[in-house]
Amino acid sequence: MTGERFACPCVAGVDEVGRGPLAGPVVAAAVILPARPLLRGLADSKALSAAERDALDIRIRERALAWALGEASVEEIDSLNILQASLLAMRRAVAALSITPFAAWVDGNTWPRLAMPTRTVIGGDARVPAISAASIIAKVARDAQMVALDAQYPGYGLARHKGYGTAVHRQALESLGVTPIHRRSFAPVARILSAVQRPPDYTLE
């Protein structure tokens, strides 16, 4: 969103997507929704089809008082760990909002350090409309990134599994190797790197 930044007596919903995958960034979103009218159809992004998410993504961006995305890179994930990188992505999303919310409600049980009162809500992506909206636009944005990365790194199936550790993805890692977008701190990737770097065993039988 663009425009002059100003204080808003309302709450931002915050959520992230992409903590589990073996590849790609973690993406967070912050959304401030108007109190009325209610935006129908909001739910946890994982419970919606891709078509439903895409349609809601458009409506959220049109109807929200403010929305913003933030992300943490693969390098930041590997250096900080995935939890801290996720919190960093959330802070970046909230900081990028064009208006400053009175408070932030964050999905889960761990909150990022923010400049406003913050509340965590376990299962918030299914219970709090603003958090649901954040989960949807974060998911749509990250999925689009993974589709683009699939063209850059063909053969891994990124457009299909979005970087998660499916059997197809693990097999591709074994046969094609680790790319710059893979998270080296994650065990399946680290094992492959370790096997590649291990010196050959010349022990005679």
Side-chain angles (χ1 to χ4, degrees):
M1 300 284 287
T2 59
E4 184 179 353
R5 191 176 179 85
F6 59 94
C8 175
C10 46
V11 174
V14 185
D15 199 8
E16 52 73 29
V17 173
R19 285 180 64 167
L22 304 181
V26 58
V27 176
V31 177
I32 302 174
L33 291 177
R36 293 287 187 275
L38 296 176
L39 186 57
R40 298 188 180 278
L42 291 176
D44 176 2
S45 62
K46 297 183 293 295
L48 300 169
S49 69
E52 289 171 329
R53 286 194 298 268
D54 288 344
L56 281 166
D57 178 69
I58 294 170
R59 291 169 59 199
I60 292 164
R61 291 168 186 251
E62 289 175 346
R63 297 271 299 279
L65 298 178
W67 62 267
L69 295 166
E71 68 176 61
S73 67
V74 170
E75 292 78 13
E76 289 171 324
I77 291 169
D78 287 337
S79 65
L80 297 173
N81 75 45
I82 185 58
L83 173 59
Q84 293 305 316
S86 297
L87 297 177
L88 175 60
M90 290 180 183
R91 289 197 296 272
R92 287 171 172 167
V94 173
L97 286 168
S98 60
I99 59 179
T100 302
F102 170 77
W105 287 21
V106 179
D107 184 54
N109 59 6
T110 307
W111 59 88
R113 296 187 305 275
L114 299 173
M116 69 280 298
T118 306
R119 172 183 176 182
T120 58
V121 184
I122 296 175
D125 48 5
R127 298 167 51 198
V128 179
I131 298 178
S132 299
S135 76
I136 290 167
I137 68 168
K139 171 69 172 166
V140 171
R142 188 180 187 279
D143 283 359
Q145 284 196 41
M146 298 312 294
V147 170
L149 287 171
D150 181 74
Q152 189 174 350
Y153 299 98
Y156 293 86
L158 297 171
R160 210 171 0 157
H161 52 63
K162 308 303 187 291
Y164 283 87
T166 64
V168 168
H169 191 183
R170 290 172 187 251
Q171 289 167 5
L173 275 169
E174 293 281 356
S175 60
L176 300 175
V178 176
T179 75
I181 64 165
H182 281 97
R183 301 173 180 179
R184 284 158 167 72
S185 58
F186 278 41
V189 181
R191 280 197 297 268
I192 292 172
L193 288 171
S194 177
V196 170
Q197 295 167 359
R198 188 182 302 128
D201 184 0
Y202 294 113
T203 304
L204 295 177
E205 295 184 0

